Amino acid sequence: MEYVYAALILNETGEEINEDNVTGVLEAAGVDVEESRVKALVAALEDVDIEEAIETAAAAPAAGASAGGAADADAADESDDDEEEEADEAEEADEADDDEEDGDGGEGLGELFG
C-alpha cells in the first residue's frame, strides 16, 4: 500500500511518477524498497490519469450506498429466513441421529469407532 501512497504523494505535489521519485519517497518514509515492486507500480500507472481515478473512486461509494440500502434490507430479510430454515433442518437432523442411536442395526459412523 505504501507504494501506492508514494505515487499519490508524487501526484499531489506535481512530481513525475518514476522509479527514482517513488524510491525516494519510500526511503524517506523508512520503507525497505523492493525495486521490482517500484518498477511494476510505475509501469501500471503509466497510462492512468490519477486525478480521474480518484474522482471515480470517490463517487462510487456514494452511489453504491444509496442504491444498496434497499438491497441490504432485502438481503437481511432473506438471511433471517435462511437462518430459520437451517435451524429447523439442524433440529430435524439431531432428532434423526437420536433415533439411529437407539437402534441395534449397527449402522452409522459411530459404529466404526466403537
Side-chain angles (χ1 to χ4, degrees), residues 46-94:
E46 194 170 291
D47 297 326
V48 175
D49 182 0
I50 295 177
E51 294 299 324
E52 181 181 328
I54 291 171
E55 290 174 15
T56 304
S66 63
D72 289 344
D74 290 342
D77 289 343
E78 287 179 15
S79 70
D80 289 343
D81 292 342
D82 291 343
E83 288 174 7
E84 288 176 13
E85 288 176 17
E86 288 173 8
D88 291 342
E89 289 173 6
E91 191 174 305
E92 290 172 6
D94 288 342

Side-chain angles (χ1 to χ4, degrees), residues 8-79:
L8 289 171
I9 289 170
L10 291 169
N11 180 68
E12 186 66 28
T13 59
E15 298 292 322
E16 181 182 355
I17 300 174
N18 59 33
E19 292 175 27
D20 291 334
N21 289 346
V22 171
T23 301
V25 170
L26 291 170
E27 287 175 347
V31 175
D32 188 25
V33 181
E34 295 178 31
E35 288 183 42
S36 60
R37 291 180 71 185
V38 172
K39 288 180 181 183
L41 175 72
V42 171
L45 293 176
E46 194 170 291
D47 297 326
V48 175
D49 182 0
I50 295 177
E51 294 299 324
E52 181 181 328
I54 291 171
E55 290 174 15
T56 304
S66 63
D72 289 344
D74 290 342
D77 289 343
E78 287 179 15
S79 70

